[in-house]
PDB file of all heavy atoms in Angstrom:
ATOM      1  N   PHE M 592     -12.925  23.985 -13.959  1.00  0.00           N
ATOM      2  CA  PHE M 592     -13.162  24.253 -15.367  1.00  0.00           C
ATOM      3  C   PHE M 592     -14.313  25.231 -15.543  1.00  0.00           C
ATOM      4  O   PHE M 592     -14.221  26.173 -16.344  1.00  0.00           O
ATOM      5  CB  PHE M 592     -13.473  22.951 -16.106  1.00  0.00           C
ATOM      6  CG  PHE M 592     -13.828  23.154 -17.553  1.00  0.00           C
ATOM      7  CD1 PHE M 592     -12.850  23.410 -18.491  1.00  0.00           C
ATOM      8  CD2 PHE M 592     -15.150  23.110 -17.959  1.00  0.00           C
ATOM      9  CE1 PHE M 592     -13.173  23.614 -19.820  1.00  0.00           C
ATOM     10  CE2 PHE M 592     -15.487  23.311 -19.288  1.00  0.00           C
ATOM     11  CZ  PHE M 592     -14.494  23.564 -20.219  1.00  0.00           C
ATOM     12  N   ILE M 593     -15.399  25.037 -14.790  1.00  0.00           N
ATOM     13  CA  ILE M 593     -16.568  25.904 -14.928  1.00  0.00           C
ATOM     14  C   ILE M 593     -16.235  27.328 -14.489  1.00  0.00           C
ATOM     15  O   ILE M 593     -16.632  28.305 -15.136  1.00  0.00           O
ATOM     16  CB  ILE M 593     -17.749  25.324 -14.125  1.00  0.00           C
ATOM     17  CG1 ILE M 593     -18.247  24.046 -14.797  1.00  0.00           C
ATOM     18  CG2 ILE M 593     -18.872  26.325 -13.972  1.00  0.00           C
ATOM     19  CD1 ILE M 593     -19.242  23.264 -13.982  1.00  0.00           C
ATOM     20  N   VAL M 594     -15.477  27.455 -13.406  1.00  0.00           N
ATOM     21  CA  VAL M 594     -15.120  28.789 -12.911  1.00  0.00           C
ATOM     22  C   VAL M 594     -14.227  29.517 -13.918  1.00  0.00           C
ATOM     23  O   VAL M 594     -14.455  30.690 -14.240  1.00  0.00           O
ATOM     24  CB  VAL M 594     -14.441  28.693 -11.528  1.00  0.00           C
ATOM     25  CG1 VAL M 594     -13.774  30.004 -11.150  1.00  0.00           C
ATOM     26  CG2 VAL M 594     -15.458  28.287 -10.482  1.00  0.00           C
ATOM     27  N   SER M 595     -13.218  28.831 -14.456  1.00  0.00           N
ATOM     28  CA  SER M 595     -12.328  29.490 -15.416  1.00  0.00           C
ATOM     29  C   SER M 595     -13.059  29.785 -16.723  1.00  0.00           C
ATOM     30  O   SER M 595     -12.866  30.843 -17.320  1.00  0.00           O
ATOM     31  CB  SER M 595     -11.097  28.633 -15.686  1.00  0.00           C
ATOM     32  OG  SER M 595     -11.476  27.382 -16.227  1.00  0.00           O
ATOM     33  N   PHE M 596     -13.932  28.866 -17.155  1.00  0.00           N
ATOM     34  CA  PHE M 596     -14.706  29.115 -18.376  1.00  0.00           C
ATOM     35  C   PHE M 596     -15.646  30.298 -18.183  1.00  0.00           C
ATOM     36  O   PHE M 596     -15.778  31.140 -19.067  1.00  0.00           O
ATOM     37  CB  PHE M 596     -15.509  27.868 -18.756  1.00  0.00           C
ATOM     38  CG  PHE M 596     -16.335  28.054 -19.997  1.00  0.00           C
ATOM     39  CD1 PHE M 596     -15.750  27.955 -21.247  1.00  0.00           C
ATOM     40  CD2 PHE M 596     -17.691  28.335 -19.905  1.00  0.00           C
ATOM     41  CE1 PHE M 596     -16.501  28.141 -22.397  1.00  0.00           C
ATOM     42  CE2 PHE M 596     -18.447  28.512 -21.044  1.00  0.00           C
ATOM     43  CZ  PHE M 596     -17.853  28.414 -22.294  1.00  0.00           C
ATOM     44  N   GLY M 597     -16.270  30.378 -17.022  1.00  0.00           N
ATOM     45  CA  GLY M 597     -17.158  31.505 -16.736  1.00  0.00           C
ATOM     46  C   GLY M 597     -16.405  32.829 -16.718  1.00  0.00           C
ATOM     47  O   GLY M 597     -16.910  33.840 -17.197  1.00  0.00           O
ATOM     48  N   PHE M 598     -15.188  32.820 -16.175  1.00  0.00           N
ATOM     49  CA  PHE M 598     -14.400  34.046 -16.134  1.00  0.00           C
ATOM     50  C   PHE M 598     -14.060  34.529 -17.540  1.00  0.00           C
ATOM     51  O   PHE M 598     -14.260  35.702 -17.872  1.00  0.00           O
ATOM     52  CB  PHE M 598     -13.119  33.801 -15.333  1.00  0.00           C
ATOM     53  CG  PHE M 598     -12.154  34.949 -15.382  1.00  0.00           C
ATOM     54  CD1 PHE M 598     -12.402  36.098 -14.651  1.00  0.00           C
ATOM     55  CD2 PHE M 598     -11.003  34.875 -16.152  1.00  0.00           C
ATOM     56  CE1 PHE M 598     -11.518  37.158 -14.687  1.00  0.00           C
ATOM     57  CE2 PHE M 598     -10.110  35.934 -16.191  1.00  0.00           C
ATOM     58  CZ  PHE M 598     -10.372  37.068 -15.458  1.00  0.00           C
ATOM     59  N   PHE M 599     -13.561  33.613 -18.391  1.00  0.00           N
ATOM     60  CA  PHE M 599     -13.176  34.024 -19.740  1.00  0.00           C
ATOM     61  C   PHE M 599     -14.395  34.342 -20.602  1.00  0.00           C
ATOM     62  O   PHE M 599     -14.330  35.230 -21.462  1.00  0.00           O
ATOM     63  CB  PHE M 599     -12.308  32.948 -20.394  1.00  0.00           C
ATOM     64  CG  PHE M 599     -10.921  32.903 -19.819  1.00  0.00           C
ATOM     65  CD1 PHE M 599     -10.493  31.808 -19.097  1.00  0.00           C
ATOM     66  CD2 PHE M 599     -10.049  33.968 -19.982  1.00  0.00           C
ATOM     67  CE1 PHE M 599      -9.220  31.763 -18.555  1.00  0.00           C
ATOM     68  CE2 PHE M 599      -8.772  33.942 -19.441  1.00  0.00           C
ATOM     69  CZ  PHE M 599      -8.358  32.834 -18.727  1.00  0.00           C
ATOM     70  N   ALA M 600     -15.505  33.674 -20.373  1.00  0.00           N
ATOM     71  CA  ALA M 600     -16.732  33.998 -21.109  1.00  0.00           C
ATOM     72  C   ALA M 600     -17.217  35.389 -20.716  1.00  0.00           C
ATOM     73  O   ALA M 600     -17.658  36.158 -21.575  1.00  0.00           O
ATOM     74  CB  ALA M 600     -17.809  32.951 -20.830  1.00  0.00           C
ATOM     75  N   THR M 601     -17.115  35.725 -19.429  1.00  0.00           N
ATOM     76  CA  THR M 601     -17.500  37.065 -18.984  1.00  0.00           C
ATOM     77  C   THR M 601     -16.599  38.128 -19.602  1.00  0.00           C
ATOM     78  O   THR M 601     -17.081  39.183 -20.043  1.00  0.00           O
ATOM     79  CB  THR M 601     -17.430  37.145 -17.451  1.00  0.00           C
ATOM     80  OG1 THR M 601     -18.251  36.103 -16.895  1.00  0.00           O
ATOM     81  CG2 THR M 601     -17.914  38.482 -16.944  1.00  0.00           C
ATOM     82  N   MET M 602     -15.300  37.870 -19.661  1.00  0.00           N
ATOM     83  CA  MET M 602     -14.388  38.819 -20.297  1.00  0.00           C
ATOM     84  C   MET M 602     -14.734  38.998 -21.778  1.00  0.00           C
ATOM     85  O   MET M 602     -14.694  40.114 -22.296  1.00  0.00           O
ATOM     86  CB  MET M 602     -12.932  38.321 -20.167  1.00  0.00           C
ATOM     87  CG  MET M 602     -12.387  38.402 -18.792  1.00  0.00           C
ATOM     88  SD  MET M 602     -12.239  40.102 -18.269  1.00  0.00           S
ATOM     89  CE  MET M 602     -12.842  39.959 -16.600  1.00  0.00           C
ATOM     90  N   PHE M 603     -15.062  37.907 -22.447  1.00  0.00           N
ATOM     91  CA  PHE M 603     -15.416  37.980 -23.869  1.00  0.00           C
ATOM     92  C   PHE M 603     -16.702  38.784 -24.069  1.00  0.00           C
ATOM     93  O   PHE M 603     -16.789  39.607 -24.982  1.00  0.00           O
ATOM     94  CB  PHE M 603     -15.575  36.570 -24.441  1.00  0.00           C
ATOM     95  CG  PHE M 603     -16.000  36.551 -25.880  1.00  0.00           C
ATOM     96  CD1 PHE M 603     -15.103  36.843 -26.889  1.00  0.00           C
ATOM     97  CD2 PHE M 603     -17.311  36.258 -26.212  1.00  0.00           C
ATOM     98  CE1 PHE M 603     -15.495  36.835 -28.215  1.00  0.00           C
ATOM     99  CE2 PHE M 603     -17.716  36.246 -27.526  1.00  0.00           C
ATOM    100  CZ  PHE M 603     -16.806  36.532 -28.531  1.00  0.00           C
ATOM    101  N   ILE M 604     -17.689  38.560 -23.213  1.00  0.00           N
ATOM    102  CA  ILE M 604     -18.958  39.285 -23.330  1.00  0.00           C
ATOM    103  C   ILE M 604     -18.749  40.771 -23.081  1.00  0.00           C
ATOM    104  O   ILE M 604     -19.287  41.616 -23.813  1.00  0.00           O
ATOM    105  CB  ILE M 604     -19.986  38.684 -22.360  1.00  0.00           C
ATOM    106  CG1 ILE M 604     -20.396  37.288 -22.828  1.00  0.00           C
ATOM    107  CG2 ILE M 604     -21.207  39.580 -22.224  1.00  0.00           C
ATOM    108  CD1 ILE M 604     -21.224  36.522 -21.834  1.00  0.00           C
ATOM    109  N   ILE M 605     -17.950  41.113 -22.075  1.00  0.00           N
ATOM    110  CA  ILE M 605     -17.685  42.530 -21.781  1.00  0.00           C
ATOM    111  C   ILE M 605     -16.958  43.182 -22.951  1.00  0.00           C
ATOM    112  O   ILE M 605     -17.302  44.296 -23.369  1.00  0.00           O
ATOM    113  CB  ILE M 605     -16.879  42.655 -20.474  1.00  0.00           C
ATOM    114  CG1 ILE M 605     -17.758  42.268 -19.287  1.00  0.00           C
ATOM    115  CG2 ILE M 605     -16.327  44.064 -20.303  1.00  0.00           C
ATOM    116  CD1 ILE M 605     -17.019  42.225 -17.966  1.00  0.00           C
ATOM    117  N   ALA M 606     -15.965  42.491 -23.518  1.00  0.00           N
ATOM    118  CA  ALA M 606     -15.227  43.063 -24.653  1.00  0.00           C
ATOM    119  C   ALA M 606     -16.127  43.209 -25.862  1.00  0.00           C
ATOM    120  O   ALA M 606     -16.035  44.203 -26.598  1.00  0.00           O
ATOM    121  CB  ALA M 606     -14.030  42.167 -24.983  1.00  0.00           C
ATOM    122  N   THR M 607     -17.017  42.255 -26.094  1.00  0.00           N
ATOM    123  CA  THR M 607     -17.944  42.354 -27.219  1.00  0.00           C
ATOM    124  C   THR M 607     -18.915  43.517 -27.029  1.00  0.00           C
ATOM    125  O   THR M 607     -19.213  44.242 -27.989  1.00  0.00           O
ATOM    126  CB  THR M 607     -18.726  41.032 -27.364  1.00  0.00           C
ATOM    127  OG1 THR M 607     -17.789  39.952 -27.474  1.00  0.00           O
ATOM    128  CG2 THR M 607     -19.603  41.058 -28.601  1.00  0.00           C
ATOM    129  N   LEU M 608     -19.403  43.707 -25.818  1.00  0.00           N
ATOM    130  CA  LEU M 608     -20.305  44.822 -25.554  1.00  0.00           C
ATOM    131  C   LEU M 608     -19.597  46.167 -25.722  1.00  0.00           C
ATOM    132  O   LEU M 608     -20.173  47.117 -26.248  1.00  0.00           O
ATOM    133  CB  LEU M 608     -20.886  44.706 -24.137  1.00  0.00           C
ATOM    134  CG  LEU M 608     -21.900  43.575 -23.916  1.00  0.00           C
ATOM    135  CD1 LEU M 608     -22.304  43.512 -22.450  1.00  0.00           C
ATOM    136  CD2 LEU M 608     -23.111  43.790 -24.794  1.00  0.00           C
ATOM    137  N   ILE M 609     -18.355  46.255 -25.272  1.00  0.00           N
ATOM    138  CA  ILE M 609     -17.586  47.496 -25.430  1.00  0.00           C
ATOM    139  C   ILE M 609     -17.378  47.784 -26.907  1.00  0.00           C
ATOM    140  O   ILE M 609     -17.512  48.936 -27.372  1.00  0.00           O
ATOM    141  CB  ILE M 609     -16.251  47.399 -24.676  1.00  0.00           C
ATOM    142  CG1 ILE M 609     -16.493  47.436 -23.174  1.00  0.00           C
ATOM    143  CG2 ILE M 609     -15.303  48.522 -25.090  1.00  0.00           C
ATOM    144  CD1 ILE M 609     -15.255  47.226 -22.330  1.00  0.00           C
TER     145      ILE M 609
END
Side-chain angles (χ1 to χ4, degrees):
F592 176 77
I593 290 170
V594 166
S595 60
F596 180 80
F598 172 75
F599 287 113
T601 305
M602 289 294 138
F603 177 76
I604 291 170
I605 290 174
T607 305
L608 289 176
I609 289 175

